[in-house]
Structure formats: C-alpha cells, structure tokens
Amino acid sequence: MKVLKFGGTSVAHSQNILLVEKIIQRESLNSKVVVIVSALHGVTDQLIKAAEYASVKDENYIQTVQNLEKKHISLVKELFPIAEQSSWLSFVKKHFNDIEELCNGIAVLGELTDRIKDRIASYGEFLSSNIIAARLQQEKSDCVWMNSAELIRTDSNFTNAKVNFKCTDSNIVNFLNKTPNRIILGPGFIAHDEKNNTTTLGRGGSDYTASIIAAAIDAVELQIWTDVSGMMTADPRLVSNAKPISEISYHEAMELSHFGAKVLYPPSIQPVMVKNTNLIIKNTFDPDAPGTLISHQQRCSEDEKQIAVGISNMNNIALLTLEGSGMVGIPGISAKLFQCLSHEKINVILITQGSSEHSITIAIEKKEALRAENAINSSFADDINLERVYAVKIETELSIVALVGENMKSRSGVSAKMFGCLGNNGINIRAIAQGSSERNISIVISEKDSKKAVNVLHEEFFESEIKQIHLYICGTGNVGSKLIQQIYNQNDYLKENFLINLRIAGISNSRHMMFSDQGISKDSYANWEQHGEKASAREFADEIIRRNLRNSVFVDVTASADIPEVYESLLKRSVNLVACNKIAASSDFKKYKTLKNTARNHSCNFYFETNVGAGLPVIGTINDLIKSGDQIQSIQAVLSGTLNFVFNEYDGSRTFSEVVAQAQKEGYTEPDPRLDLSGTDVARKILILAREAGYPLQFEEIENISFLPEECMQGSVESFYEKLTVYEDHFRNLLNKAKTEGKILKYVAEFENGKAKVGLQHIAPDSDLFHLYGKDNIVIFKTLRYSEQPLVVKGAGAGAEVTASGVFADIIRSI
C-alpha cells in the first residue's frame, strides 16, 4: 500500500486537481493507495485571518468568509456536471454557514482561543478532501472518503497537538483493514483529542498526517506531491542554478527542512524514518520527473557523494544572548533558560555557547523575540539585579543559513571552505553552530546578506564548474568601450577554458547608469543609455552595495576625481576594485594606505596595474620583487606613451601643435592633453611606483621640471592649441638643442634615494631610453639583485586597446 499527499498549488484550483486525479488513478492501478490532501491553496490562512478579524470586531471577516465560499462554489461548478452540483453546492453552503456562525460568536466574545482557531482552520481540509473524493467517485474511481481526523488522536495542545501514536496507529490499521476500496482519500492537518475536540498538527500538518498513516500501515512508500521536482540544493527563488537532489538521507532531509527548506514539514520525517519507509518528493506538474528519494539506503558510492547535499535558509530570525560572570561554573543556568522559553512555547532554532560558559546565544523567530525577552528577564530578575548576569541582548534582521550533508564529517576543510568563501564576499557571521554529528554547519548572518550567502555557498559547493563574476564598469569612453567589447568577445573562451563567467551587471558614465543582475547583453549594451537612469558616482556605488551580489568587481576606467571617493565604501563591502584611474593611488599617502588596508582587512583585492604603463606588468613586477625579498634602489622610466609619441613624431617637419593634435586624435592623450604634457600624469605614475616600492612619498615632494610655457596651461583646450602654435619657436629650440648634442628628447621619470623627479631630458644613443619608438614605455629597475644588469620592462604604454587589456587582466587577477 502507498500513501500519497497533495497540497499547496497541487490543489490550488480545478485544473490542478484534475492533474492530481490522473496521478491518483495511475498510482492506484497496481496498489491500494491512501491519499491525503490539504486545503485549497491559501484557504487555511484566510480562515484564520477571518477569525482574527472577528476577534477584533473587524467586519472584514464577513467578506473574507464570503470570498472563500465563492472559491469553493466555483470549484464544485468546475469539477461536477450540472446535474451533480446541487448536493455539493448545498454541502459547501452549509459548512460556510457554520464558519460564519463561529466567526459571529468570536466577534460577540471578542476573543479567539486556540481551540476555536483549530476548529475554524479544520474546515479547509475537510471541504477540499470531500470535494476531491466526490470528484473521483464521479469519474467511477473506487474511492471512499476517510475522516482521518477521527483516526488520529492527540493531546489538547491546540494548534500544535502531540499525537498519541499507540491509539492512532491502532485506529488507522483497523479502519484500513475494514475498507476494501482501492483509493481512500482524507484530509490532512486535522485530528481529535480525547474529548473529541478538533485539534491540528501544526502548519504543514498535512505532510505529518500522511507520514503518520504511512508509518502505521508499513506502507511501501510515502509520496509527497508538490510544485517542484523534489528537494533542491537551495531555494530556487534565490539561486537560479539550484538543482534537484536525487537521493538524500532522512537525517539530511530533517536538517534541511528544519532550517527552512519549505518542501517538507520537519515533523513529517520522524514517523517514516523510524519505520524505514521510503519517502519520495514528486512534482504534480511533472509527474514523470524522478523527484527526491529520502531513505536510509544511499545508492551512490562514497566516492560519488558530494560533500554537501543542500543549503537552506531562514529569514526573520532574532538572536538572544544571555551573558554574565555569574553564569560561569553555575549548574542549571541552561536548564533555567530553556525552561522559561518552553513555558512560553517558544521554539529554539539554534544554540551556541562559548567554552567559558560566560554566555549562551540562541536563535528564535523574530516574532517571538519580545515574549522571549520578557520571559528570560523575568526568570533571571534576581541575577540581573545582583549584576550576576545582564539583561538579555536582542539582535534582529538576521537569517540562518545551513550547509547540510552526511559526507561533511568525512572530509577535512569543509568549514574552512565555507567560511573562506563567505569572508571573501564580505559576509559577516554573527553566530556559528555545528552539531557533533557534523552533518550541519549553521551560521547566523545579516538578513540583507542572506541571498548573497546562499548563492556564494551554492557556487562553492555545487557549481564548481563555473564561477560567476559580476562586473560594474564605470566609464564608457575609449578605454571603457574597448574593455566592454573585449569582455563580450572573450567570455565564451573564459567559460570553456577557465570556468569563469563574466557578467556585466552594471554600467555607468557621467550621465546614465544601468543594472542587470543577470548581465547586460551585447544587444542591450548597444543602446543602454536610452534605458539607463540618471547617474552619479555615489548612486552607482550605493546600488552595487544594495544589490549585494557575490564575486563583485568594480572597474573604474575614468579619470574622474569623484569616482575614487566611493572606493572605500565598496571595499568595506568586499567588492573587488580594479582602477585605471590614477587619482586614488596618487592621492594623499594616508588615503592611499587606507584603501590598501581596507582591501586587505575585508578580504578583497584592489588592483591598479594600468595606472602605469597601460597593459605592461610594471606594478606587478614591483610587487613580485618586494614580496620575494628584493629592494628597489632606483627607477628610471619613460612613463607617458603620449609624450614619447609626441617627441618621437616631433622632428621639425610639423608643428608641435599638429603632433599633439594627432596624439589626441589617436587616443593617446587624456581628454585634456595638458594633463599629459604638463608632466602631472608622469609625476603621478612615478609616485605610484615609489609607493608600491615601499616609500611613503607625497605628490608635492616630486620635482616637476615643466617644458610648457605657463601661459599654455591657462584657458580652454581649444585655446591651448592656439597657444602651442604661438610658442612653436620655444618647442623648436628644445628640439634643435638636443639635435646639436646628437641626442633626442624624452620625458623621463626618475626615482632614487627616496626622491623622485620628472622632466624633459636629452637622451644619448647609448641609453636604454634612446631606442624607444611610437607610444612605447620603458621602466628600468635597479635592485639589490638587479644591480649590475637592471631589470627592464618595455612595450606599448598607451592606447585604448592595450589599456583595456591591462584592465581586463586585473579583473581576472582580482577574482
């Protein structure tokens, strides 16, 4: 004999009930079946709501009851032919008259007891089971209605009654042995106490009813039919890549359901677990899907088992902490605490206690926090007055996330892996609990981090094949647009060869910003500004923080002074940072160090390789040298691709103004070329290199020997070009003087003995700087190890493509 249970959306309306009917008929072909059904979807909640309205004399209860009556009348009309409707319409009307009379009585008394609440709530299952049984009989199925409430006996703890299994099992066996029908269908959730008062088995009690019956008759299996294809590795509403679990143990299922997996009501596992009855979670809307088998027998080998089977989470959690020196070494403190909570019928979800015994922390539902606080403070009033313990401390807006798996106990490093990936994503853990069975690691975190935490853990333990990266790109100019194009072009290769999937989750420029958690597609990017909203640096950063997605990287490909102002707030939320923008790394030294320390303290990365040399590995080389114990003694460099291009091209055949205009047109300069020609940009770059080499320099300490007349630095960019023309003789004199010496002009940055300077120099043919063409950069390092033969890094140091590729490399490095 099999036991089948249908509830939730499976019995939401007539179309779904017809699917249920087909499943019942199919399952009854080869076996006698007991079918338990819940109330129509949402009906129990509305019945209780009507009673609560009545208890405060809110006349909304009348409309609520009428709406429920219409729902059931419509169901009868949809399931039965007109000739058969009359008796069932009268049946529905009669029982809703009873419900209305009960609510009227509640309204008169102004009181709603748990006993009356159970009586009201029981009508949902009673009505649905009768109607569905009648429908099966109408279709000539060998079906009989069973009043399971009369078979299941409980105590009088209304709304959450405890079952008397000895009496209940006897009643069930006797009834079913006397009932020859192939299909026995009855209500779940409802029971009777010894005085024949209606009781209920707690919310989700229909599952429990089915389990009680399955255990009593030693059923072949218990099938729980829902709207999902079994238990999932995580809540699919939170994790888009959640997967069905094919097999799971009773203990694992109990842990997952206890910590929030809604597919299964936790108490329903116990009866069938004791009898070793297979429990299968099936999908009403995909009946051929295998579902999830819950049993003691695991068919896969030890090697095939995953470390964990699933992740569950519960929101609306409160954390209560009782602490004080008077608790240390005093027996009975824990017993006293849990006794007072038990008296208030408050369920403790999680417990953790330090080995010092100085404090006990428990997690409960947020709605019970105030009652718990009052109960604990009252129970420990004398100790609080004598300052042996403090009044209970309450924290709210929390969630519990649990990683569950029998196989965790046989694998080392599971906790480290779990806490590591959470820490790398900036998720702070408020409390931890791990049972001695080692099949569950539970953590309490901020509720706003719940979705992110579940996704991070799911990716770490169940999606190792692909790592999802969320990019937020600020700046869509020359470099930004090239970078975005490179990401679109390269992403398939990264997925296939490096198991990385890059999603551009946000784009911003100075005018607009746009977000998409699922990624902005290439087609959407083509006209993204038309759909974007008004932007600012702070609003862009705040939205990134609010979305709180895992593995996030903020990419600054602007020259804006506003964007670095949001770096620290992003790093504090463990958002990795990649900056082409030089302002932050060349700002006040204290601010520079703060950003570096913030990144380290929040387990994220702050990379800015393209601040110097575009895509050349200059900063990375310094970092490698320092980490390996070397020491930078001096740096000599040509660090401006723009200035190198300009002085390579300026040979007297064209004016200096024309050469600068060409450099700007080809994308080698900043939007304002004076940032390059003034030496400010080069000064920032040598400052960054000196700092990365370990020297605490400030920008003001760098000597900048300018070759531009002061008048060229004033006015607009347009007037700048006019003034370059006016001062052409000045530039030609610089060129001719170098030629006279048999040398060429290079704008050079130097660092030695803790001091730095930048300026135009005459370079002889025997210098490493002489043979430097186009927009190339060169950096010459002399170190303790490279003292006689310096270390040279040379290559293209400007251009949108190479700079974008350097930023791209930093993005990959940051994750």
Side-chain angles (χ1 to χ4, degrees), residues 558 580-587 611-612 670 681 684-685 688:
T558 73
C580 179
N581 190 334
K582 290 179 281 291
I583 290 175
S586 62
S587 62
N611 278 195
V612 181
E670 298 289 349
D681 188 58
R684 284 175 177 164
K685 291 176 179 179
I688 292 167

Side-chain angles (χ1 to χ4, degrees), residues 184-389:
I184 300 102
L185 191 148
F189 181 56
I190 321 167
H192 284 162
D193 66 7
E194 293 179 357
K195 297 179 182 178
N196 224 33
N197 295 311
T198 298
T199 60
T200 61
L201 304 176
R203 300 311 301 269
S206 292
D207 286 358
Y208 194 23
T209 299
S211 181
I212 291 166
I213 294 172
I217 62 175
D218 291 318
V220 173
E221 64 185 28
L222 167 61
Q223 299 176 2
I224 304 290
W225 291 82
T226 68
D227 56 0
V228 293
S229 296
M231 299 189 81
M232 309 288 281
T233 49
D235 187 339
R237 294 169 298 181
L238 301 181
V239 180
S240 59
N241 292 327
K243 306 167 186 176
I245 303 170
S246 58
E247 296 182 25
I248 190 172
S249 74
Y250 285 115
H251 292 295
E252 290 169 330
M254 190 172 290
E255 295 281 4
L256 285 174
S257 58
H258 174 71
F259 285 101
K262 303 297 185 185
V263 177
L264 200 58
Y265 180 53
S268 63
I269 299 172
Q270 185 66 32
V272 289
M273 182 172 71
V274 171
K275 290 294 188 74
N276 199 20
T277 303
N278 286 350
L279 193 163
I280 303 177
I281 312 289
K282 300 278 283 180
N283 189 346
T284 304
F285 308 102
D286 187 10
D288 294 325
T292 299
L293 171 64
I294 304 172
S295 70
H296 285 304
Q297 304 298 322
Q298 297 292 292
R299 298 172 190 169
C300 55
S301 67
E302 288 296 320
D303 292 337
E304 292 174 321
K305 287 183 179 179
Q306 283 190 291
I307 294 175
V309 295
I311 303 160
S312 59
N313 65 291
M314 298 176 70
N315 293 331
N316 299 311
I317 294 297
L319 210 58
L320 278 64
T321 300
L322 183 69
E323 62 181 336
S325 58
M327 296 169 59
V328 179
I330 305 300
I333 293 289
S334 298
K336 186 176 180 181
L337 172 63
F338 297 124
Q339 186 175 17
C340 74
L341 293 173
S342 176
H343 184 265
E344 292 294 320
K345 298 181 181 179
I346 295 171
N347 180 45
V348 176
I349 304 167
L350 177 147
I351 307 164
T352 182
Q353 181 176 17
S355 58
S356 67
E357 302 180 17
H358 182 261
S359 67
I360 302 174
T361 299
I362 60 171
I364 62 174
E365 290 188 58
K366 179 183 174 182
K367 65 183 180 182
E368 296 179 331
L370 183 59
R371 283 198 300 122
E373 179 184 27
N374 292 335
I376 296 170
N377 287 341
S378 175
S379 182
F380 287 87
D382 292 341
D383 298 292
I384 292 170
N385 290 333
L386 294 172
E387 297 185 352
R388 290 197 290 252
V389 299

Side-chain angles (χ1 to χ4, degrees), residues 396-450:
T396 56
E397 313 305 325
L398 300 172
S399 294
I400 294 176
V401 175
L403 181 70
V404 175
E406 293 272 6
N407 213 32
M408 285 160 50
K409 61 189 175 187
S410 62
R411 305 285 182 91
S412 60
V414 177
S415 296
K417 186 176 182 181
M418 178 180 183
F419 299 139
C421 68
L422 292 172
N424 289 338
N425 277 275
I427 298 167
N428 185 43
I429 299 172
R430 294 290 304 110
I432 304 167
Q434 181 175 17
S436 58
S437 67
E438 297 185 55
R439 68 169 66 97
N440 178 354
I441 306 174
S442 302
I443 58 172
V444 180
I445 61 174
S446 172
E447 193 166 281
K448 71 177 185 295
D449 287 332
S450 178

